[in-house]
PDB file of all heavy atoms in Angstrom:
ATOM      1  N   TYR I  35     141.769  52.519  62.552  1.00 96.00           N
ATOM      2  CA  TYR I  35     141.477  51.531  63.588  1.00 96.00           C
ATOM      3  C   TYR I  35     142.755  51.253  64.370  1.00 96.00           C
ATOM      4  O   TYR I  35     143.857  51.319  63.847  1.00 96.00           O
ATOM      5  CB  TYR I  35     140.995  50.207  62.973  1.00 96.00           C
ATOM      6  CG  TYR I  35     139.651  50.271  62.305  1.00 96.00           C
ATOM      7  CD1 TYR I  35     139.519  50.664  60.979  1.00 96.00           C
ATOM      8  CD2 TYR I  35     138.491  49.919  63.000  1.00 96.00           C
ATOM      9  CE1 TYR I  35     138.276  50.720  60.361  1.00 96.00           C
ATOM     10  CE2 TYR I  35     137.257  49.960  62.389  1.00 96.00           C
ATOM     11  CZ  TYR I  35     137.152  50.361  61.074  1.00 96.00           C
ATOM     12  OH  TYR I  35     135.923  50.401  60.469  1.00 96.00           O
ATOM     13  N   GLN I  37     144.530  48.250  66.747  1.00 94.00           N
ATOM     14  CA  GLN I  37     144.445  46.842  67.143  1.00 94.00           C
ATOM     15  C   GLN I  37     145.450  46.586  68.259  1.00 94.00           C
ATOM     16  O   GLN I  37     146.659  46.705  68.065  1.00 94.00           O
ATOM     17  CB  GLN I  37     144.731  45.908  65.964  1.00 94.00           C
ATOM     18  CG  GLN I  37     144.543  44.432  66.313  1.00 94.00           C
ATOM     19  CD  GLN I  37     144.819  43.512  65.135  1.00 94.00           C
ATOM     20  OE1 GLN I  37     145.683  43.774  64.301  1.00 94.00           O
ATOM     21  NE2 GLN I  37     144.073  42.417  65.047  1.00 94.00           N
ATOM     22  N   ASP I  40     144.693  43.770  74.241  1.00 87.00           N
ATOM     23  CA  ASP I  40     143.627  43.807  75.244  1.00 87.00           C
ATOM     24  C   ASP I  40     142.317  44.361  74.699  1.00 87.00           C
ATOM     25  O   ASP I  40     141.239  43.904  75.086  1.00 87.00           O
ATOM     26  CB  ASP I  40     144.082  44.583  76.483  1.00 87.00           C
ATOM     27  CG  ASP I  40     144.633  45.955  76.130  1.00 87.00           C
ATOM     28  OD1 ASP I  40     144.933  46.177  74.941  1.00 87.00           O
ATOM     29  OD2 ASP I  40     144.774  46.788  77.030  1.00 87.00           O
ATOM     30  N   PHE I  45     137.568  51.069  66.328  1.00 93.00           N
ATOM     31  CA  PHE I  45     137.425  52.183  65.395  1.00 93.00           C
ATOM     32  C   PHE I  45     137.845  53.477  66.080  1.00 93.00           C
ATOM     33  O   PHE I  45     137.439  53.761  67.213  1.00 93.00           O
ATOM     34  CB  PHE I  45     135.972  52.264  64.940  1.00 93.00           C
ATOM     35  CG  PHE I  45     135.619  53.523  64.207  1.00 93.00           C
ATOM     36  CD1 PHE I  45     136.057  53.745  62.914  1.00 93.00           C
ATOM     37  CD2 PHE I  45     134.826  54.490  64.812  1.00 93.00           C
ATOM     38  CE1 PHE I  45     135.718  54.899  62.229  1.00 93.00           C
ATOM     39  CE2 PHE I  45     134.475  55.655  64.136  1.00 93.00           C
ATOM     40  CZ  PHE I  45     134.922  55.850  62.845  1.00 93.00           C
ATOM     41  N   ALA I  56     132.873  60.601  61.333  1.00 89.00           N
ATOM     42  CA  ALA I  56     132.452  59.889  62.539  1.00 89.00           C
ATOM     43  C   ALA I  56     133.650  59.697  63.456  1.00 89.00           C
ATOM     44  O   ALA I  56     134.786  59.611  63.002  1.00 89.00           O
ATOM     45  CB  ALA I  56     131.848  58.535  62.184  1.00 89.00           C
ATOM     46  N   PHE I  90     145.669  50.535  61.865  1.00 96.00           N
ATOM     47  CA  PHE I  90     145.250  50.263  60.499  1.00 96.00           C
ATOM     48  C   PHE I  90     144.494  51.446  59.931  1.00 96.00           C
ATOM     49  O   PHE I  90     143.710  52.103  60.612  1.00 96.00           O
ATOM     50  CB  PHE I  90     144.318  49.052  60.446  1.00 96.00           C
ATOM     51  CG  PHE I  90     145.005  47.736  60.612  1.00 96.00           C
ATOM     52  CD1 PHE I  90     144.819  46.985  61.758  1.00 96.00           C
ATOM     53  CD2 PHE I  90     145.823  47.233  59.608  1.00 96.00           C
ATOM     54  CE1 PHE I  90     145.447  45.766  61.911  1.00 96.00           C
ATOM     55  CE2 PHE I  90     146.453  46.006  59.758  1.00 96.00           C
ATOM     56  CZ  PHE I  90     146.263  45.272  60.916  1.00 96.00           C
ATOM     57  N   GLY I  97     131.926  55.918  51.832  1.00 71.00           N
ATOM     58  CA  GLY I  97     131.627  55.920  53.264  1.00 71.00           C
ATOM     59  C   GLY I  97     130.234  56.384  53.606  1.00 71.00           C
ATOM     60  O   GLY I  97     129.998  56.866  54.706  1.00 71.00           O
ATOM     61  N   THR I  98     129.306  56.230  52.673  1.00 73.00           N
ATOM     62  CA  THR I  98     127.947  56.691  52.951  1.00 73.00           C
ATOM     63  C   THR I  98     127.000  55.544  53.267  1.00 73.00           C
ATOM     64  O   THR I  98     125.792  55.739  53.313  1.00 73.00           O
ATOM     65  CB  THR I  98     127.386  57.483  51.756  1.00 73.00           C
ATOM     66  OG1 THR I  98     127.448  56.651  50.587  1.00 73.00           O
ATOM     67  CG2 THR I  98     128.172  58.752  51.537  1.00 73.00           C
ATOM     68  N   GLY I  99     127.541  54.367  53.468  1.00 74.00           N
ATOM     69  CA  GLY I  99     126.659  53.259  53.801  1.00 74.00           C
ATOM     70  C   GLY I  99     127.419  52.141  54.472  1.00 74.00           C
ATOM     71  O   GLY I  99     128.581  51.871  54.175  1.00 74.00           O
ATOM     72  N   GLY I 100     126.728  51.473  55.422  1.00 73.00           N
ATOM     73  CA  GLY I 100     127.369  50.378  56.132  1.00 73.00           C
ATOM     74  C   GLY I 100     127.633  49.171  55.263  1.00 73.00           C
ATOM     75  O   GLY I 100     128.335  48.261  55.676  1.00 73.00           O
ATOM     76  N   TRP I 101     127.045  49.127  54.080  1.00 78.00           N
ATOM     77  CA  TRP I 101     127.247  47.991  53.175  1.00 78.00           C
ATOM     78  C   TRP I 101     128.589  48.021  52.459  1.00 78.00           C
ATOM     79  O   TRP I 101     129.025  47.046  51.875  1.00 78.00           O
ATOM     80  CB  TRP I 101     126.141  47.974  52.112  1.00 78.00           C
ATOM     81  CG  TRP I 101     126.171  49.198  51.242  1.00 78.00           C
ATOM     82  CD1 TRP I 101     126.949  49.432  50.140  1.00 78.00           C
ATOM     83  CD2 TRP I 101     125.406  50.385  51.427  1.00 78.00           C
ATOM     84  NE1 TRP I 101     126.703  50.677  49.638  1.00 78.00           N
ATOM     85  CE2 TRP I 101     125.762  51.282  50.389  1.00 78.00           C
ATOM     86  CE3 TRP I 101     124.431  50.756  52.351  1.00 78.00           C
ATOM     87  CZ2 TRP I 101     125.178  52.541  50.280  1.00 78.00           C
ATOM     88  CZ3 TRP I 101     123.859  52.011  52.241  1.00 78.00           C
ATOM     89  CH2 TRP I 101     124.239  52.888  51.215  1.00 78.00           C
ATOM     90  N   THR I 103     132.370  47.854  51.406  1.00 88.00           N
ATOM     91  CA  THR I 103     133.559  47.120  51.821  1.00 88.00           C
ATOM     92  C   THR I 103     134.644  48.114  52.191  1.00 88.00           C
ATOM     93  O   THR I 103     134.906  49.064  51.454  1.00 88.00           O
ATOM     94  CB  THR I 103     134.055  46.219  50.687  1.00 88.00           C
ATOM     95  OG1 THR I 103     133.060  45.239  50.406  1.00 88.00           O
ATOM     96  CG2 THR I 103     135.354  45.516  51.084  1.00 88.00           C
ATOM     97  N   GLN I 104     135.248  47.911  53.330  1.00 91.00           N
ATOM     98  CA  GLN I 104     136.398  48.706  53.725  1.00 91.00           C
ATOM     99  C   GLN I 104     137.656  47.902  53.404  1.00 91.00           C
ATOM    100  O   GLN I 104     137.770  46.735  53.775  1.00 91.00           O
ATOM    101  CB  GLN I 104     136.334  49.037  55.221  1.00 91.00           C
ATOM    102  CG  GLN I 104     135.186  49.969  55.558  1.00 91.00           C
ATOM    103  CD  GLN I 104     135.138  50.339  57.031  1.00 91.00           C
ATOM    104  OE1 GLN I 104     136.159  50.335  57.724  1.00 91.00           O
ATOM    105  NE2 GLN I 104     133.959  50.689  57.514  1.00 91.00           N
ATOM    106  N   PHE I 106     141.603  47.405  53.814  1.00 95.00           N
ATOM    107  CA  PHE I 106     142.575  47.709  54.854  1.00 95.00           C
ATOM    108  C   PHE I 106     144.002  47.745  54.318  1.00 95.00           C
ATOM    109  O   PHE I 106     144.388  46.920  53.484  1.00 95.00           O
ATOM    110  CB  PHE I 106     142.491  46.674  55.980  1.00 95.00           C
ATOM    111  CG  PHE I 106     141.326  46.884  56.898  1.00 95.00           C
ATOM    112  CD1 PHE I 106     140.038  46.570  56.505  1.00 95.00           C
ATOM    113  CD2 PHE I 106     141.515  47.439  58.159  1.00 95.00           C
ATOM    114  CE1 PHE I 106     138.954  46.780  57.349  1.00 95.00           C
ATOM    115  CE2 PHE I 106     140.439  47.650  59.012  1.00 95.00           C
ATOM    116  CZ  PHE I 106     139.164  47.316  58.602  1.00 95.00           C
ATOM    117  N   GLY I 107     144.778  48.669  54.865  1.00 96.00           N
ATOM    118  CA  GLY I 107     146.202  48.706  54.601  1.00 96.00           C
ATOM    119  C   GLY I 107     146.935  47.687  55.467  1.00 96.00           C
ATOM    120  O   GLY I 107     146.318  47.030  56.307  1.00 96.00           O
TER     121      GLY I 107
ATOM    122  N   TYR O  32     124.666  45.045  58.912  1.00 92.00           N
ATOM    123  CA  TYR O  32     125.311  44.245  57.883  1.00 92.00           C
ATOM    124  C   TYR O  32     126.414  43.462  58.575  1.00 92.00           C
ATOM    125  O   TYR O  32     126.995  43.920  59.560  1.00 92.00           O
ATOM    126  CB  TYR O  32     125.898  45.137  56.792  1.00 92.00           C
ATOM    127  CG  TYR O  32     124.882  46.004  56.098  1.00 92.00           C
ATOM    128  CD1 TYR O  32     124.932  47.392  56.197  1.00 92.00           C
ATOM    129  CD2 TYR O  32     123.857  45.444  55.338  1.00 92.00           C
ATOM    130  CE1 TYR O  32     124.008  48.192  55.560  1.00 92.00           C
ATOM    131  CE2 TYR O  32     122.924  46.240  54.695  1.00 92.00           C
ATOM    132  CZ  TYR O  32     123.001  47.620  54.817  1.00 92.00           C
ATOM    133  OH  TYR O  32     122.076  48.407  54.192  1.00 92.00           O
ATOM    134  N   PHE O  34     130.023  40.971  58.315  1.00 95.00           N
ATOM    135  CA  PHE O  34     131.241  40.767  57.546  1.00 95.00           C
ATOM    136  C   PHE O  34     132.130  39.731  58.231  1.00 95.00           C
ATOM    137  O   PHE O  34     132.119  39.599  59.458  1.00 95.00           O
ATOM    138  CB  PHE O  34     132.050  42.074  57.457  1.00 95.00           C
ATOM    139  CG  PHE O  34     131.317  43.242  56.868  1.00 95.00           C
ATOM    140  CD1 PHE O  34     130.397  43.957  57.618  1.00 95.00           C
ATOM    141  CD2 PHE O  34     131.552  43.630  55.564  1.00 95.00           C
ATOM    142  CE1 PHE O  34     129.720  45.046  57.077  1.00 95.00           C
ATOM    143  CE2 PHE O  34     130.884  44.714  55.013  1.00 95.00           C
ATOM    144  CZ  PHE O  34     129.968  45.416  55.777  1.00 95.00           C
ATOM    145  N   TYR O  36     136.303  39.041  58.009  1.00 97.00           N
ATOM    146  CA  TYR O  36     137.599  39.429  57.481  1.00 97.00           C
ATOM    147  C   TYR O  36     138.634  38.402  57.931  1.00 97.00           C
ATOM    148  O   TYR O  36     138.492  37.789  58.995  1.00 97.00           O
ATOM    149  CB  TYR O  36     138.025  40.807  58.019  1.00 97.00           C
ATOM    150  CG  TYR O  36     137.433  41.985  57.294  1.00 97.00           C
ATOM    151  CD1 TYR O  36     136.170  42.466  57.623  1.00 97.00           C
ATOM    152  CD2 TYR O  36     138.146  42.630  56.285  1.00 97.00           C
ATOM    153  CE1 TYR O  36     135.637  43.568  56.961  1.00 97.00           C
ATOM    154  CE2 TYR O  36     137.614  43.735  55.621  1.00 97.00           C
ATOM    155  CZ  TYR O  36     136.362  44.189  55.970  1.00 97.00           C
ATOM    156  OH  TYR O  36     135.834  45.283  55.307  1.00 97.00           O
ATOM    157  N   GLN O  38     142.903  37.888  58.568  1.00 94.00           N
ATOM    158  CA  GLN O  38     144.191  38.568  58.719  1.00 94.00           C
ATOM    159  C   GLN O  38     145.290  37.517  58.730  1.00 94.00           C
ATOM    160  O   GLN O  38     145.433  36.763  59.690  1.00 94.00           O
ATOM    161  CB  GLN O  38     144.226  39.388  60.012  1.00 94.00           C
ATOM    162  CG  GLN O  38     145.498  40.205  60.190  1.00 94.00           C
ATOM    163  CD  GLN O  38     145.485  41.032  61.473  1.00 94.00           C
ATOM    164  OE1 GLN O  38     144.801  40.725  62.440  1.00 94.00           O
ATOM    165  NE2 GLN O  38     146.255  42.121  61.480  1.00 94.00           N
ATOM    166  N   GLY O  43     147.450  43.087  56.592  1.00 90.00           N
ATOM    167  CA  GLY O  43     146.205  43.765  56.939  1.00 90.00           C
ATOM    168  C   GLY O  43     145.026  42.824  56.815  1.00 90.00           C
ATOM    169  O   GLY O  43     145.188  41.642  56.538  1.00 90.00           O
ATOM    170  N   LEU O  44     143.841  43.357  57.019  1.00 93.00           N
ATOM    171  CA  LEU O  44     142.628  42.547  56.945  1.00 93.00           C
ATOM    172  C   LEU O  44     142.107  42.501  55.517  1.00 93.00           C
ATOM    173  O   LEU O  44     142.141  43.493  54.793  1.00 93.00           O
ATOM    174  CB  LEU O  44     141.544  43.140  57.850  1.00 93.00           C
ATOM    175  CG  LEU O  44     141.693  42.863  59.333  1.00 93.00           C
ATOM    176  CD1 LEU O  44     142.730  43.768  59.954  1.00 93.00           C
ATOM    177  CD2 LEU O  44     140.352  43.041  60.043  1.00 93.00           C
ATOM    178  N   LEU O  46     138.718  41.176  53.178  1.00 94.00           N
ATOM    179  CA  LEU O  46     137.327  40.753  53.254  1.00 94.00           C
ATOM    180  C   LEU O  46     137.160  39.346  52.674  1.00 94.00           C
ATOM    181  O   LEU O  46     137.587  39.064  51.560  1.00 94.00           O
ATOM    182  CB  LEU O  46     136.435  41.719  52.479  1.00 94.00           C
ATOM    183  CG  LEU O  46     134.947  41.389  52.489  1.00 94.00           C
ATOM    184  CD1 LEU O  46     134.359  41.623  53.884  1.00 94.00           C
ATOM    185  CD2 LEU O  46     134.187  42.200  51.446  1.00 94.00           C
ATOM    186  N   LYS O  49     130.486  39.071  52.910  1.00 94.00           N
ATOM    187  CA  LYS O  49     129.610  39.946  53.669  1.00 94.00           C
ATOM    188  C   LYS O  49     128.157  39.612  53.380  1.00 94.00           C
ATOM    189  O   LYS O  49     127.823  39.125  52.287  1.00 94.00           O
ATOM    190  CB  LYS O  49     129.887  41.418  53.374  1.00 94.00           C
ATOM    191  CG  LYS O  49     129.640  41.849  51.931  1.00 94.00           C
ATOM    192  CD  LYS O  49     130.014  43.333  51.773  1.00 94.00           C
ATOM    193  CE  LYS O  49     129.834  43.800  50.344  1.00 94.00           C
ATOM    194  NZ  LYS O  49     130.253  45.229  50.167  1.00 94.00           N
ATOM    195  N   PHE O  90     138.128  37.529  61.710  1.00 97.00           N
ATOM    196  CA  PHE O  90     137.354  38.510  62.460  1.00 97.00           C
ATOM    197  C   PHE O  90     135.955  38.631  61.887  1.00 97.00           C
ATOM    198  O   PHE O  90     135.777  38.832  60.684  1.00 97.00           O
ATOM    199  CB  PHE O  90     138.026  39.885  62.406  1.00 97.00           C
ATOM    200  CG  PHE O  90     139.327  39.962  63.140  1.00 97.00           C
ATOM    201  CD1 PHE O  90     140.519  39.723  62.480  1.00 97.00           C
ATOM    202  CD2 PHE O  90     139.355  40.248  64.493  1.00 97.00           C
ATOM    203  CE1 PHE O  90     141.731  39.778  63.150  1.00 97.00           C
ATOM    204  CE2 PHE O  90     140.565  40.319  65.180  1.00 97.00           C
ATOM    205  CZ  PHE O  90     141.750  40.082  64.505  1.00 97.00           C
ATOM    206  N   SER O  94     128.296  46.333  60.833  1.00 89.00           N
ATOM    207  CA  SER O  94     128.112  47.775  60.703  1.00 89.00           C
ATOM    208  C   SER O  94     126.610  48.021  60.641  1.00 89.00           C
ATOM    209  O   SER O  94     125.852  47.166  60.175  1.00 89.00           O
ATOM    210  CB  SER O  94     128.796  48.324  59.454  1.00 89.00           C
ATOM    211  OG  SER O  94     128.152  47.872  58.294  1.00 89.00           O
ATOM    212  N   ASN O 100     127.064  56.706  61.134  1.00 70.00           N
ATOM    213  CA  ASN O 100     128.371  56.166  61.490  1.00 70.00           C
ATOM    214  C   ASN O 100     128.455  54.737  60.992  1.00 70.00           C
ATOM    215  O   ASN O 100     127.774  53.852  61.507  1.00 70.00           O
ATOM    216  CB  ASN O 100     128.585  56.223  63.005  1.00 70.00           C
ATOM    217  CG  ASN O 100     130.003  55.799  63.393  1.00 70.00           C
ATOM    218  OD1 ASN O 100     130.704  55.142  62.630  1.00 70.00           O
ATOM    219  ND2 ASN O 100     130.413  56.169  64.584  1.00 70.00           N
ATOM    220  N   TYR O 101     129.261  54.522  59.966  1.00 75.00           N
ATOM    221  CA  TYR O 101     129.344  53.198  59.349  1.00 75.00           C
ATOM    222  C   TYR O 101     130.614  52.469  59.735  1.00 75.00           C
ATOM    223  O   TYR O 101     131.138  51.669  58.982  1.00 75.00           O
ATOM    224  CB  TYR O 101     129.225  53.341  57.835  1.00 75.00           C
ATOM    225  CG  TYR O 101     127.944  54.046  57.462  1.00 75.00           C
ATOM    226  CD1 TYR O 101     127.963  55.274  56.825  1.00 75.00           C
ATOM    227  CD2 TYR O 101     126.715  53.497  57.792  1.00 75.00           C
ATOM    228  CE1 TYR O 101     126.784  55.928  56.505  1.00 75.00           C
ATOM    229  CE2 TYR O 101     125.532  54.141  57.480  1.00 75.00           C
ATOM    230  CZ  TYR O 101     125.569  55.355  56.832  1.00 75.00           C
ATOM    231  OH  TYR O 101     124.415  55.991  56.523  1.00 75.00           O
ATOM    232  N   LYS O 102     131.088  52.731  60.946  1.00 84.00           N
ATOM    233  CA  LYS O 102     132.272  52.034  61.420  1.00 84.00           C
ATOM    234  C   LYS O 102     131.993  50.542  61.485  1.00 84.00           C
ATOM    235  O   LYS O 102     130.856  50.094  61.613  1.00 84.00           O
ATOM    236  CB  LYS O 102     132.631  52.525  62.820  1.00 84.00           C
ATOM    237  CG  LYS O 102     131.572  52.158  63.854  1.00 84.00           C
ATOM    238  CD  LYS O 102     132.021  52.463  65.270  1.00 84.00           C
ATOM    239  CE  LYS O 102     130.973  51.970  66.264  1.00 84.00           C
ATOM    240  NZ  LYS O 102     131.392  52.139  67.661  1.00 84.00           N
ATOM    241  N   LEU O 103     133.050  49.777  61.437  1.00 88.00           N
ATOM    242  CA  LEU O 103     132.968  48.351  61.676  1.00 88.00           C
ATOM    243  C   LEU O 103     133.234  48.086  63.147  1.00 88.00           C
ATOM    244  O   LEU O 103     134.188  48.604  63.715  1.00 88.00           O
ATOM    245  CB  LEU O 103     133.999  47.604  60.825  1.00 88.00           C
ATOM    246  CG  LEU O 103     133.706  47.515  59.329  1.00 88.00           C
ATOM    247  CD1 LEU O 103     134.927  47.020  58.570  1.00 88.00           C
ATOM    248  CD2 LEU O 103     132.522  46.595  59.070  1.00 88.00           C
ATOM    249  N   LYS O 107     136.665  39.769  68.811  1.00 94.00           N
ATOM    250  CA  LYS O 107     138.047  39.663  69.287  1.00 94.00           C
ATOM    251  C   LYS O 107     138.922  38.800  68.378  1.00 94.00           C
ATOM    252  O   LYS O 107     140.130  38.751  68.567  1.00 94.00           O
ATOM    253  CB  LYS O 107     138.070  39.075  70.702  1.00 94.00           C
ATOM    254  CG  LYS O 107     137.436  39.988  71.738  1.00 94.00           C
ATOM    255  CD  LYS O 107     138.346  41.110  72.159  1.00 94.00           C
ATOM    256  CE  LYS O 107     137.802  41.857  73.355  1.00 94.00           C
ATOM    257  NZ  LYS O 107     138.607  43.027  73.707  1.00 94.00           N
TER     258      LYS O 107
END
Side-chain angles (χ1 to χ4, degrees):
Chain I
Y35 292 86
Q37 185 180 34
D40 52 344
F45 168 73
F90 285 110
T98 56
W101 63 83
T103 296
Q104 293 182 27
F106 283 74
Chain O
Y32 301 115
F34 303 78
Y36 278 84
Q38 184 179 24
L44 282 78
L46 180 70
K49 63 182 178 182
F90 292 92
S94 68
N100 186 341
Y101 303 116
K102 66 172 185 176
L103 287 168
K107 294 282 190 185

